[in-house]
Structure formats: C-alpha cells, structure tokens
Amino acid sequence: MHIYPDAKAVVRDLAPDEPVILNRPHAALRAARFFIEKFPGKPLYAVKANPTPDLIQTLWSAGITHYDVASIAEVRLVRGLLPEAVLCFMHPVKTPSAIREAYFQHGVKTFSLDSVEELAKIVDACRNPETGEPATDLRLAVRLRVSSEFSELSLASKFGCDLIEAPQLLQQARQHCDWLGVCFHVGSQAMTPFAFVQALDRTRAAIAEASVVIDMIDVGGGFPSSYPGLEPPPLEDYFAMIARHFEALPIAYNAELWCEPGRALCAEYSSMIVKVEKRRGEELYINDGAYGALYDAAHVDWRFPVVALEDDLRDAAQDFAFYGPTCDDADYMQGPFALPGDIQAGDYVEIGMLGAYGTAMKTGFNGFGNAAQVLVADEPMMSLYRGDRVRPDADNVVSLR
Ligand SMILES: *Cc1c(COP(=O)(O)O)cnc(C)c1O
C-alpha cells in the first residue's frame, strides 16, 4: 500500500471531497513497544478504542499478545485476525450465547463479572453440553467499582460491584475457578497517577476482607494521551505508582499485573483530513462531525489539535467552532479550534489524535460517514512517546512539520 509523506501530500494527490483518515502504524508500534517495555506487567489492548484490523495486526507484531474484547463481534474479529492471541471477555454483562460461543469456539477462558447473576451465567454457559460438568479452566476477574474523579470521562456508575459486596463475590467466584483476578477501570484519560492509587487501595480493602487467594490484578484502562489543554504527566509516573501499590497488595506471590490500555495505544494512530464546505463568521462547516469521528468534540467538548493544510493562508490564528455535515443542530463542536483567520470554503484542515474513540465512532447517519483510509509516514501532531510533549500552555495549533 502506498505511504504518503503527510496530509498535504494526500490533499495534493486526492483533493478529497469526503474525509480521509490518515493512519500511522509507526505511532501505534511505538506506543505498544513503550507499554511492553515499561509497564511492570502485561498490557492488553482494549479493542473498542479502535477495532481497525490493520491496527490490531500492528499491535500484534509489536508484541501485544492479549486483547480485551467486550462483545462477541469483537471476539470474532480479533480471533479471525490473530488465531493465537489470548482474548479476555471483559464486559461484565454478557449474553449466555456470547459467553458460550467465546468459550467453546474461540478459546476464551477469561471473563469478567460484577454480580452473582453474571457468575452463575458464566458457569452455566461454559458447562460441558453433554455431561453438564462445570468447566475447570475458567479464569474469572471480579470488576470493582472505583472512583472516576481523576478522569475526563467517567466509567464509575455503570459497572463494578460495590466494596460492600466485593468480598462475598470474590469468595463465590473463587469456588468456580483456579485463577481469580480483580479488575477495575478508573475512567478514561486519567490525568494523574493517583487515580490508580485510590483504586488499588479499594482493591486492597476488598481482598483483605475476602481473604481469598488472588492471582491477578488488572488495573484496566484510563492511561491518558495528549490533547490541547489535556497534557498529562509522563506515563512512567503512572507505571511507577502502580508498581509500588501493586507490590503492597495481599496477593499470591506470583500474582500477575495486567492493564488494558485503549486510548494510550491508539490515540496517535490516526488523524483525519476534513474539507471546509462553508464559513459563517467564526464557524466553519466541515464534512465530519458529531456522528463521525468527532463524537467527543461534540459531546464532551474535547479539543483535538488542528492544522490548516493550505500554504497560502497568511493571517494570524483565531478561534473557530465547527459544524458537522448532518442536518442536526447538535452536530456542533465548540472547540475552540485555532486556525488561520483567512481560512475559507474549499480549504482543508487536518484534525489530529483521532485514533482512539475517534474513527471508531463514525456512523452513516444522514448519508455521511464514508472516509478513505490511507497510510502516512509523518509524526502525529502530539505524542506521549517521543519526549517532546508540547507545553501545557501552548495553544492547539501544533505545527511539527
Ligand atoms: C474502555 C475500556 C478500556 C480502555 O479504556 P481507555 O481509557 O481507552 O484506556 C479498558 N478496559 C475496559 C473494561 C473498558 O471498558
């Protein structure tokens, strides 16, 4: 497949009327190598952040062997691409048919749960269909509810059992498996390593109360990436803090430490070229939006980095808001996005850091949603992995070219 040097080369070649997604395998490879070398345990890739097959193959080639899957479609997808990968079904509410297919057809042994009902469901679904004997090779992970107070996107209210119920659930789960873990998720884009400290403190309390042997601690996702106005401390600080608090847990001497990064492994993988269809004052009508890869820009006012792709724009940067292409008023992204003041209809803009929960969110609503995908060789607009993070006070025109 042809590899373009950068977004400008794509515009010169294609002059695209629809958005184009630019993928950077080298950026995903670097992120994966970083986690494999520096995280003091095993990193699983959380597939929902970006299920693009090329990305999954790239992560596998970088050495990511374990995958956090949350639906039977994700199980089938990853198993189809990677026959030898270890798949862990980490959605705490599953249908029996999904559990059965995952276990019997795709070799999935690891399942998470946050209630006795789910425990019973997993045990039943994995019984030998002829003899009714329970499975002896289940690996179960009890999901604890922890605080999302340090994260930009909460995952605290939907899943996870309360600390009060956790000891009993751990004891019950222990009776159905030889390998028992505890997992949690501190919320996405955790802006301080202390997010993991509070979660590991709760984990310690639950394990101490239960007094069962724990074979694995899975600290989940939440590892941040870098965005304008959201520049986290170095990931090494997170890893060091997690390692220290993991060491202090009352668990088996050979217990494993896992994590499930989604965002941190793939945020830098993709950017997108959009075209300005119309300008109305400080509002730009572009051809992707709330129902496309800019879901978070519309729904939680995420400010992705932007750069104008025309060489003849001369004016100083000013702040713009974006309208997406659908006929819905909610298809609006307030930004602000700083672009040259003389930008106009027909010009192209590259929007960066869309590899996680960006391109994965695209829908076909209103007939918009097509986007070609191409490979580019240049650097992502921002990076946590090359040691040149932009100053926290810098604005969101990040020119690295
Ligand atoms: C979404 C999710 C992840 C990935 O979270 P990030 O914040 O993208 O790292 C990991 N584990 C589970 C169970 C999830 O639901």
Side-chain angles (χ1 to χ4, degrees):
M1 192 171 173
H2 183 64
I3 301 177
Y4 289 93
D6 58 19
K8 284 186 182 179
V10 176
V11 167
R12 273 197 303 275
D13 195 26
L14 304 178
D17 278 336
E18 290 180 330
V20 179
I21 291 164
L22 313 181
N23 291 330
R24 295 172 176 78
H26 55 285
L29 200 79
R30 182 167 54 192
R33 293 305 316 166
F34 185 94
F35 265 83
I36 289 166
E37 280 163 25
K38 303 204 176 200
F39 182 75
K42 188 185 294 301
L44 284 68
Y45 174 55
V47 172
K48 79 166 186 289
N50 188 333
T52 303
D54 285 348
L55 170 64
I56 291 169
Q57 302 270 20
T58 297
L59 295 174
W60 172 261
S61 68
I64 301 282
T65 55
H66 287 48
Y67 293 78
D68 161 9
V69 285
S71 61
I72 194 62
E74 287 183 357
V75 172
R76 292 175 191 150
L77 169 77
V78 182
R79 182 52 82 225
L81 294 165
L82 308 175
E84 289 166 45
V86 178
L87 308 187
C88 303
F89 209 149
M90 301 308 276
H91 192 306
V93 184
K94 300 166 282 297
T95 66
S97 65
I99 298 168
R100 218 175 292 126
E101 180 181 331
Y103 180 80
F104 287 106
Q105 292 183 39
H106 305 292
V108 179
K109 307 289 181 217
T110 306
F111 297 88
S112 81
L113 59 114
D114 63 2
S115 66
V116 276
E117 292 82 4
E118 187 75 8
L119 174 61
K121 202 195 286 175
I122 294 167
V123 170
D124 271 344
C126 299
R127 280 182 198 284
N128 183 310
E130 265 124 53
T131 65
E133 290 289 307
T136 54
D137 55 357
L138 285 178
R139 296 159 68 96
L140 300 178
V142 171
R143 170 100 170 240
L144 284 189
R145 181 174 319 166
V146 298
S147 166
S148 275
E149 65 180 307
F150 301 105
S151 303
E152 292 301 309
L153 297 169
S154 173
L155 288 166
S157 44
K158 188 170 180 184
F159 297 135
C161 80
D162 284 335
L163 208 44
I164 290 289
E165 305 154 10
Q168 206 188 355
L169 187 55
L170 283 167
Q171 289 162 356
Q172 289 168 322
R174 182 82 255 183
Q175 293 163 19
H176 297 279
C177 63
D178 285 338
W179 186 96
L180 179 63
V182 175
C183 59
F184 55 75
H185 197 301
V186 300
S188 205
Q189 186 76 7
M191 291 301 290
T192 156
F194 285 100
F196 292 90
V197 174
Q198 59 90 16
L200 286 166
D201 278 350
R202 283 195 200 200
T203 303
R204 188 219 317 266
I207 298 171
E209 281 302 312
S211 31
V212 295
V213 177
I214 297 295
D215 305 287
M216 185 277 283
I217 301 290
D218 177 352
V219 299
F223 298 94
S225 187
S226 205
Y227 304 88
L230 283 180
E231 295 188 46
L235 284 176
E236 285 97 331
D237 293 2
Y238 291 71
F239 295 173
M241 198 82 93
I242 289 168
R244 269 204 301 284
H245 288 261
F246 171 73
E247 293 293 331
L249 293 176
I251 49 181
Y253 75 96
N254 58 348
E256 298 172 50
L257 174 64
W258 289 11
C259 67
E260 302 169 350
R263 180 185 303 281
L265 288 183
C266 62
E268 300 178 17
Y269 177 64
S270 306
S271 63
M272 178 173 64
I273 296 171
V274 296
K275 188 175 182 183
V276 179
E277 303 289 4
K278 166 182 167 162
R279 174 170 176 176
R280 186 176 78 181
E282 281 152 19
E283 295 160 341
L284 301 179
Y285 292 62
I286 61 174
N287 57 358
D288 194 274
Y291 299 91
L294 299 174
Y295 182 96
D296 280 343
H299 292 93
V300 288
D301 296 335
W302 211 271
R303 288 170 62 224
F304 294 98
V306 295
V307 62
L309 296 175
E310 317 298 321
D311 287 325
D312 59 350
L313 299 176
R314 299 275 171 258
D315 288 8
Q318 69 177 65
D319 285 342
F320 290 91
F322 293 156
Y323 273 113
T326 71
C327 302
D328 185 346
D329 261 9
D331 197 353
Y332 174 74
M333 293 137 280
Q334 70 169 30
F337 302 100
L339 288 163
D342 50 346
I343 193 164
Q344 55 185 329
D347 290 347
Y348 291 97
V349 173
E350 182 181 6
I351 305 176
M353 309 304 283
L354 288 172
Y357 309 110
T359 59
M361 307 297 279
K362 271 178 108 45
T363 75
F365 176 52
N366 221 174
F368 301 98
N370 284 342
Q373 303 217 16
V374 302
L375 298 179
V376 288
D378 66 346
E379 284 296 311
M381 288 190 202
M382 303 174 81
S383 179
L384 276 186
Y385 302 107
R386 56 176 188 213
D388 63 351
R389 289 178 305 133
V390 189
R391 287 174 297 116
D393 55 343
D395 67 22
N396 68 342
V397 177
V398 184
S399 181
L400 296 167
R401 308 213 159 85

